[in-house]
Amino acid sequence: MRLWSLAELGLNDHHQNEVVNYMRFARSKRGLRLKTVDSCFQDLKDSRLVEETFTIDEVTDMLDGLQTVVHSEVESELINTTYTNVLLLRQIFSQAEKWYLKLQTDISELENRDLLEQVAEFEKAEFTSANKKPNPELIKPKLTPLHDGASELLNKEITRLQEENEKLKTRLKTIEVQATNALDEKSKLEKALQDLQIIQGDQKLDTTQDISELENTVASLKCQFEKTLHDTTASQKSLEENLITTKHDLLKVQDQLAMAEKELEKKFQQTAAYRNMKEILTKKNEQIKEMRKKLSKYEPDD
């Protein structure tokens, strides 16, 4: 269980201020109802306690009447508090439904004595420290619906990172193809050199001039091959470096994408709802893949 400090409830600043506003409203209603209860006792004193002595029946009658009045006042306040809480939950759930979220509550937590004591400490810290006054900007008549704000910007950033991720994947594939082609070219050149060496070893020239010309030709071919091999090796090294750099960039973008998704989950503060949305998207993708498989059955074979 998470332990809260005296001045916070484990919520962000905006939501904690909303809680403070509601507690201020509840304290006001509670104060009015307590004044009403006090007035019931005061009315009894002023209207009935006018004699010095009372019989048992008279005291019983006064207490029964007081009990009836106080019971009615307390019952009315409890009913009103219940209806008020329902209206508050209705506002919160209405906002969640606009984002296609399904919120859940744990009724058992409402009787958790530790949490109730921490809420009491929070109320004490908020309303008794240095005559703390409410911030006019934080007092609102009703909950404001969520609009395009930080969440919208975060969604745009995620989309941008996803697009950049796809571009890097395409670039990575291109570099891998280039590296494969370079390796194939190197293999072909090495095979050509081996063929020349075999030819050189098998041929027997009758004259020194023919041998000299052949040696010069082989030397020229070797020089050309070594130059080509050097260029190919350098190109291969450059391609490998680009491949490594691209992979690093891809990992960096994927890491940024993961951080952005975590930040979005933090903004929503509804991890289960976010997984629900993600599951819906996954199912949609699976449906699209399944439709593509079905369509491919009707396409003519090449």
Side-chain angles (χ1 to χ4, degrees), residues 180-190 225 228 232:
T180 301
N181 293 336
L183 290 174
D184 292 340
E185 185 66 22
K186 179 180 178 182
S187 299
K188 291 179 181 179
L189 292 174
E190 289 177 345
F225 169 77
T228 303
T232 302

Side-chain angles (χ1 to χ4, degrees), residues 222-280:
K222 283 185 178 181
C223 181
Q224 183 179 358
F225 169 77
E226 289 175 354
K227 183 177 182 303
T228 303
L229 182 61
H230 179 270
D231 294 339
T232 302
T233 303
S235 176
Q236 180 185 355
K237 182 178 180 181
S238 177
L239 288 173
E240 290 175 349
E241 291 176 351
N242 289 335
L243 181 61
I244 293 173
T245 302
T246 302
K247 286 184 177 178
H248 288 170
D249 292 340
L250 178 60
L251 291 175
K252 182 178 179 181
V253 170
Q254 289 176 340
D255 183 64
Q256 292 177 350
L257 181 60
M259 292 178 63
E261 289 174 346
K262 290 180 180 178
E263 184 65 19
L264 180 59
E265 291 176 353
K266 182 179 179 182
K267 288 288 181 181
F268 286 156
Q269 290 292 312
Q270 297 295 336
T271 305
Y274 180 76
R275 289 198 302 267
N276 186 29
M277 293 177 66
K278 188 173 182 181
E279 182 180 357
I280 292 174

Side-chain angles (χ1 to χ4, degrees), residues 205-216:
L205 301 177
D206 296 333
T207 62
T208 304
Q209 183 178 1
D210 292 336
I211 294 174
S212 178
E213 290 177 355
L214 182 58
E215 287 177 349
N216 291 335

Side-chain angles (χ1 to χ4, degrees), residues 13-62:
D13 292 340
H14 174 78
H15 289 154
Q16 184 161 305
N17 287 327
E18 292 294 334
V19 172
V20 172
N21 289 337
Y22 176 75
M23 294 183 72
R24 185 177 292 109
F25 166 78
R27 282 170 61 89
S28 175
K29 299 292 290 184
R30 184 169 69 233
L32 292 175
R33 191 58 60 185
L34 289 175
K35 289 181 180 179
T36 302
V37 173
D38 292 339
S39 67
C40 294
F41 284 87
Q42 189 62 43
D43 290 342
L44 177 65
K45 294 178 182 178
D46 296 338
S47 62
R48 301 293 301 274
L49 299 182
V50 294
E51 301 179 6
E52 294 182 357
T53 59
F54 296 93
T55 65
I56 294 177
D57 292 337
E58 289 174 337
V59 173
T60 301
D61 181 61
M62 286 188 292

